[in-house]
Amino acid sequence: MATNTDMLLELNEVSLLILILSFLPFKEAVRTCILSKQWKDIWKQTMSIEFNELFFVKHGQQYDDETRQLQRNTFLNFIKSFMENFQGKDVIKFFLKVSTPGNIRDTVESCVTFATKHEVKELGLDFSDPNWDEITSDENYDALFELPNHVYENRSIKTLKLYSCSFVLHGLLNFEAIKEVSLGWIEVRFHTLRTLLSTCNTIENLSLKKCWNLEHFDMMLYGVKLGLRRLVIDKCDLDHNYFTFKAPNLKFFKYSGVVGSFEMEVNKHVMEEAEIDFALMPNFDVFGNQLYKLLEDLYPVRVLTVDSFLLQVIPSGDEPVRIQGDLNVRHLIIKTQMHHHEWCGFRFLLNSCPTLEKLTLEIDPQIILPDYEAPFHVDFKKFWHGPLIVQKCLKNTLKEVEVNRFRGTRGEFTILQYHSSRESVAKDEYQHSKE
C-alpha cells in the first residue's frame, strides 16, 4: 500500500528547487513560501526577479493619492529588503517597472546596479506611466530615466527592454550576445535603428512600442538584410508611413498603427504568423489596394489576425470580392463587433483563404466607421442568404468556428447559423442582447 508522503521533501537539492522557481513568474515564486518549510526561503534565491509597482500600487478612483503613496512605500521597502537579503548568486532575468523614477532615483540606480552586479542576462526597465494613453494621445513624453553607463559593460546581456528609458547607441553595440531588443515610449531615430540592426547581427527579436521620430522603416533602400525572427511595430509615430524590409528568417510579424505603404520580402518556408491592427485609423478611406498588397506579402502565414478596420476597408480596393493570390492561412483570427459594416470584409477573407481550418471570432468593441461605404449594393437583411461566391474552405477544409466573448446578439446568431454545419464553440459568459 502506498504511503502518504510529502513529495516536496523528496526534492532535497536546493539548486534544483531554485531552477524550478526561476521558471515561474516572480509573483508566483514568492507564493511558494507557503508550500512547506523547505520552500519558505527558497524564493529568495530565484534567478528571475520582477519588481512591478502595479503589484502593489492600485489605480482607480477608489484610491486617493495618500493611499497610493502608502502602497508605493510598501513596494519600495519590499525592493530594499529583497536586495539586502538576496541569497542567490546568479540573476538570469531582472525586470523593474516603476513610474516617476525621478522621485526615487537612488532606489532605481540601486536596482540596476544589483542586476549588473549579478551578471543579468535579461534586463527590463519600464518607467512609463500607467495613465499614458497609447491609442488616442498624440503627446510624446520625454524619457524619464537614462540607462547608466555601467550597464554597457555587461556584455553578457541577451535581452534588453527599455520603456521611457533612453540609451546611448554606441553602448548598445557593445552587447555582443544580444538577441532581443524592446523599446517603448522613447524617441528612436531611423538612423539609430538601422545602425543597431545592421551592426548587431545577433538580434532576432525587435519590438517598438509607441516610439516617435522614427521617420520611416525603409531597410531595403540601405541594403539591410534583417536577421529577425520576430518583428513588432506597435502604435509608433512615423513621419512617412512606409515599411520595406527583407527578412528571410522572419517567423512572426505584428503591426499596429495607421495604414501605410508596405513592401516585405519574407521566406514562404519560414513565415508562420502575422497580426494586423489599424486601431489608430478612425475614419474610412479607400485603402483597399494597400491592404491587398500587405496581405499578398504575408501570404505564407498559417495564422493571421486582423481587426475590424481591415474588414470594413479592404473591399474598397479594385477587387472587392477576394485577393488575387490565395492565402496560406489555416487559422484566421478576426477581432470583430459583428457589425454589418464588417460583413463584406468577412466574406472577402473567407474567399481568400481556401484552405482555412479554424476560424476564431474575438468579439470586442471595435471602431465602426461612420462614413463606411459598401463596395457594391448590399441588402444586409439578405446578405448571408443571397448568392455568394463558393467558399472552398466552408465545403472542404473548415473544421472549427470558435467564438470568444459570445453575447448572443442578432449579428452573432446570423453568422453562426450560416456556419451551422460546422462545430461552433461559444466561450465566456452568454449575455442576452437587448435586441
Side-chain angles (χ1 to χ4, degrees), residues 304 306 311 332-336 346 349 359-363:
L304 175 65
V306 299
L311 292 181
L332 178 62
I333 304 167
I334 300 178
K335 292 183 284 186
T336 174
F346 192 100
L349 288 174
L359 173 64
T360 298
L361 303 178
E362 297 285 353
I363 301 177

Side-chain angles (χ1 to χ4, degrees), residues 259-356:
V259 177
S261 176
F262 298 91
E263 184 178 353
M264 297 175 285
E265 292 186 16
V266 297
N267 189 330
K268 65 180 181 180
H269 301 296
V270 177
M271 191 69 178
E272 295 180 355
E273 183 174 356
E275 296 182 17
I276 308 299
D277 187 336
F278 297 108
L280 298 184
M281 297 291 296
N283 299 315
F284 181 88
D285 205 339
V286 185
F287 288 123
N289 290 335
Q290 288 96 317
L291 299 182
Y292 289 173
K293 181 64 171 63
L294 175 59
L295 290 185
E296 286 175 347
D297 287 347
L298 296 174
Y299 83 93
V301 301
R302 297 178 63 87
V303 181
L304 175 65
T305 301
V306 299
D307 74 332
S308 179
F309 180 88
L310 184 140
L311 292 181
Q312 296 175 71
V313 175
I314 196 168
S316 68
D318 295 336
E319 300 291 337
V321 178
R322 58 168 293 174
I323 200 169
Q324 287 299 305
D326 291 338
L327 301 178
N328 190 45
V329 177
R330 300 301 196 272
H331 183 191
L332 178 62
I333 304 167
I334 300 178
K335 292 183 284 186
T336 174
Q337 192 166 306
M338 306 297 271
H339 192 278
H340 62 264
H341 284 188
E342 303 169 321
W343 288 358
C344 290
F346 192 100
R347 191 172 71 181
F348 177 96
L349 288 174
L350 290 181
N351 286 331
S352 300
C353 301
T355 55
L356 187 67

Side-chain angles (χ1 to χ4, degrees), residues 384-402:
W384 294 107
H385 305 287
L388 299 174
I389 289 181
V390 176
Q391 296 158 354
K392 295 180 181 179
C393 66
L394 299 182
K395 290 187 174 183
N396 302 327
T397 61
L398 188 62
K399 301 175 182 178
E400 181 179 354
V401 178
E402 178 183 46

Side-chain angles (χ1 to χ4, degrees), residues 4 14 55 60 74 138 221 291 300 337 339 347-348 393 411 427 431:
N4 293 327
V14 174
F55 294 163
T74 301
D138 293 328
L221 178 63
L291 299 182
Q337 192 166 306
H339 192 278
R347 191 172 71 181
F348 177 96
C393 66
K427 292 187 175 182
Q431 298 179 353

Side-chain angles (χ1 to χ4, degrees), residues 62 162 211 230 236 364:
Q62 66 271 37
L162 303 177
C211 296
R230 292 176 59 90
C236 293
D364 270 325

